[in-house]
Amino acid sequence: MKTIYKIARTELQTLFYSPVAWLILVIFTFQASMVFTNGLAGNVRSQELGYGLYNVTMGVFAGWRGMFTAMQQYLYLYIPLLTMGLMSRELSSGSIKLLYSSPVTNAQIILGKYLSMMIYNLVLMCIFAVYLLFAAITIKSADIPLILSGMLGLYLLVCAYAAIGLFMSSITSYQVVAAMGTLAVLAVLNLVGDMWQDIDFVRDITYWLAINGRAQEFINGLICSEDVLYFVIVVVLFLFLSIIRLQSRRQRTTWMTTVGKYGSVIVIAMLLGYLTSRPKLMCFYDTTATKQRTLTPNSQNIVARMDGGLTMTTFVNILEENYWAGLPRSVNDDLRRFKMYTRFKPEIKMKYVYYYDKAKNPELDKAYPNLSDRERMLKRAEIWNLDSNMFMRPEEVRKIADLRPEGNRFVRLLERDNGEKTFLRIFDDIQRFPFETEISAAFKRLVMELPLVGFVKGHGERDCVREGDRDYNRFAQDKPFRYSLVNQGFDFTEVTLDKPIPEQVDIIVIADMRSPMTKNEQVNLDAYIARGGNLLIAGEPRRQEFMNPLVEPFGVRFMPGRLVKKSEHFQPDFIVATPTKEAGEFSYIFNQMIRREYVVTMPGTTGLECFEDKGFSITPLFVSDTIGSWNELETVDFLDDTVSLNPLVGEVERSYITALAMSRSIGGKEQRIIILGDADCLSNGEISIGRKDVAAANYSLISGSFFWLSNEEVPIDVRRPTPPDNKVYVSMDWMYFWKVVLMGVWPGLLAFWAIFIWIRRRGR
């Protein structure tokens, strides 16, 4: 060990007496300071502009624009300059012969040289430690473990780069050639992850070999044994290759023997890499303060209840618009989306089935209007350089699963060993892929019975099957819509009141009833209410005659007329309802609406009034504007007529309740009821529409209401604690000062110290 240390000390002396090591330190410090101060200054600027800050540590150090993320892209440029002379200098000067003649082994030479690089890399990490200290002082409750995790990842990365550079330096006596060779190897290792991804066996090998992005998980706060061992294996591999290279120079051996040694080391490294990448052998540690890189407790509980194996079969229709997400070249990216789940259930098996069948794809219809489905498949397979034989015919794939009810879209079939099945979809929004909420909801469907929502029909109510603008298909069962009930963990059915409501129905929806109930229907509804069933009731203007008998037993009525508010851009009966303070305390989803200043749009709504205490606890959820809003009792035509406030007929300008929640204890359980003054706010057309300067989030009304109605069971609550680092203790003026210090003074001092040492050495 002493010999290794002496070699390392000598190498470090040589390194720091050269301008290269100091130049790299100065440039590295300047670049890191520039990225760090720009990121922190952005947060300071936002804070002084009055915007709230969120997860400052992650934004400054990690994420897309964080310092560690940016510096990860630069590190491979520095290492070849440092390592190019480690062995090349010895070979070109002839000093290697002195080492050969001394009692020093090949392993000691290589390990000593490499130890010097490990120490130099620690110096680079000490530069980062300055930013860590600065962040700890200037950021409220800075997430220090997250920063340390990022530093660990970058340190392992530069150590891997150094091992590669050392090997390339041992190959040639020309330092420039060694540097260029190191850059070439690093370039290959950065690009190999995207090569030959269409070939199953080769895909896993090239993906494991890829060094690009290996430190990103560390930077984002997750330490995974697979990534740690990857760097260890790469370092040990190239150190062994360097030792074998020295042995072949020091002792004459046949080329077959040398190649055999190289091959054996590489094969062993690949085998170890394969074993360490198996999900069952992985260990994880989430360093983030709020455990952002780990499943939430609710999701973990769901996964823990799933005994036995789980097979996730992804069906990829080459004729459908989302087919790209499941192509062979995208498989590894696709697997990463479920990494948090395989962490807790490593026995999950992923399969991919490729087929072609008719699907809704207007772009494909325009591109190939005269081609059959099979001809279109052949065309796309040719474009992507895929074997057309891998795509099953429609009748073949239907033997596995009939995907026609899913529209033959990109979908995953989740199947447990006990035969339980469900689908996990992707959605027609900008994010496309399911979040933890939707994935956990699908998993929960496999392990337990979920709430059943019954949509009442028979009196002209809003239909949960039809796709008209006024109907409820979108929020009830529209499969490509992320927030539909079927994607958030509910089952749905249609019910009629001419017979008793089935016991398994947990919630019923009665929206916009247009004719009165019969006595028998009223008896069946009363029986459901008496047993403590939950309800969502949505009224409409001009339906008070039929809807009030439903809600008056609860001490509530739909007011006559409709609410109006004069507007320059919209009809006066278009009401923008805002969540109340009580709503924020009632539901975390409504609280998020308050924080984000979201509203619910109600195009034609009645006000709700409570006229008698029937033993319910009542919470107003949404209200109309206080100023300029009243209950219009005279005007009927809101398109051509104008509205005006007439106090003589009882019209009062004030805020009116448009949605409320009611609860009471009955039959040993809590009964929950939500009443809406407008049925259109949940309709297909209103959920889909967007209006300028109106931050509508009617889908949040769905999620918040049914989360409460299902007794907080679904949608799955995947909230994490709010990150505490939401403030910066530095002003913009001081930020300019620290920019000068970190970007100018500090690198300048390092440069001055380097020049001082160089002058002293020359003086000696």
Side-chain angles (χ1 to χ4, degrees), residues 274-390:
Y274 174 81
L275 293 176
T276 57
S277 64
R278 298 305 89 194
K280 289 185 178 181
L281 300 179
M282 289 186 194
C283 299
F284 299 85
Y285 178 64
D286 189 343
T287 65
T288 59
T290 57
K291 303 304 176 186
Q292 298 175 49
R293 307 296 298 164
T294 305
L295 286 179
T296 56
N298 282 341
S299 294
Q300 291 183 43
N301 290 336
I302 293 170
V303 174
R305 297 178 62 175
M306 196 179 302
D307 299 327
L310 173 66
T311 301
M312 190 179 298
T313 305
T314 302
F315 291 89
V316 183
N317 182 3
I318 191 68
L319 303 184
E320 193 259 336
E321 59 184 357
N322 298 300
Y323 72 98
W324 50 270
L327 290 179
R329 66 189 65 217
S330 304
V331 164
N332 282 317
D333 291 332
D334 194 47
L335 294 176
R336 272 204 301 265
R337 297 185 181 99
F338 299 93
K339 193 169 184 177
M340 285 200 294
Y341 287 88
T342 55
R343 169 181 172 182
F344 293 97
K345 191 170 181 61
E347 60 268 25
I348 293 178
K349 298 178 182 178
M350 300 288 287
K351 294 182 180 180
Y352 291 83
V353 173
Y354 298 95
Y355 72 104
Y356 70 92
D357 203 349
K358 196 174 295 295
K360 183 180 179 181
N361 192 344
E363 291 186 2
L364 194 64
D365 294 336
K366 291 179 182 179
Y368 310 113
N370 300 319
L371 298 185
S372 65
D373 288 342
R374 178 166 180 78
E375 290 170 333
R376 292 178 178 183
M377 178 273 290
L378 293 172
K379 195 71 176 177
R380 275 201 165 170
E382 180 183 358
I383 292 172
W384 287 99
N385 195 28
L386 298 171
D387 183 3
S388 61
N389 293 321
M390 67 186 288

Side-chain angles (χ1 to χ4, degrees), residues 53-91:
L53 301 183
Y54 181 84
N55 211 356
V56 177
T57 312
M58 180 71 75
V60 172
F61 287 92
W64 289 102
R65 298 182 179 180
M67 181 184 70
F68 289 157
T69 304
M71 294 306 296
Q72 182 182 200
Q73 309 303 318
Y74 302 141
L75 286 174
Y76 81 97
L77 298 174
Y78 304 132
I79 300 304
L81 299 177
L82 292 169
T83 60
M84 64 182 183
L86 286 177
M87 292 304 303
S88 298
R89 184 174 58 250
E90 309 283 1
L91 296 173

Side-chain angles (χ1 to χ4, degrees), residues 655-728:
S655 177
Y656 290 84
I657 298 174
T658 62
L660 58 80
M662 313 177 68
S663 64
R664 66 175 176 178
S665 179
I666 183 171
K669 63 184 244 184
E670 184 182 27
Q671 183 176 46
R672 300 183 174 188
I673 301 169
I674 286 181
I675 302 175
L676 307 176
D678 176 42
D680 286 330
C681 64
L682 302 179
S683 65
N684 299 335
E686 194 59 32
I687 290 176
S688 305
I689 197 171
R691 296 178 178 88
K692 185 178 180 181
D693 298 328
V694 179
N698 290 28
Y699 57 85
S700 293
L701 173 61
I702 299 171
S703 301
S705 299
F706 281 88
F707 179 70
W708 183 68
L709 290 171
S710 66
N711 300 306
E712 292 80 37
E713 185 176 343
V714 282
I716 308 298
D717 184 359
V718 295
R719 284 178 296 167
R720 290 177 170 83
T722 302
D725 49 341
N726 57 3
K727 188 176 182 180
V728 180

Side-chain angles (χ1 to χ4, degrees), residues 14 35 97 214 226 257 298 314 353 365 414 426 437 450 490 492 526-527 551 567 611 632 644 689 724:
T14 303
V35 179
K97 295 179 180 178
R214 278 285 180 174
E226 177 191 13
T257 302
N298 282 341
T314 302
V353 173
D365 294 336
L414 279 55
I426 63 175
T437 302
L450 293 176
F490 294 89
F492 81 98
D526 291 342
V551 298
S567 170
F611 65 91
E632 178 62 37
S644 59
I689 197 171

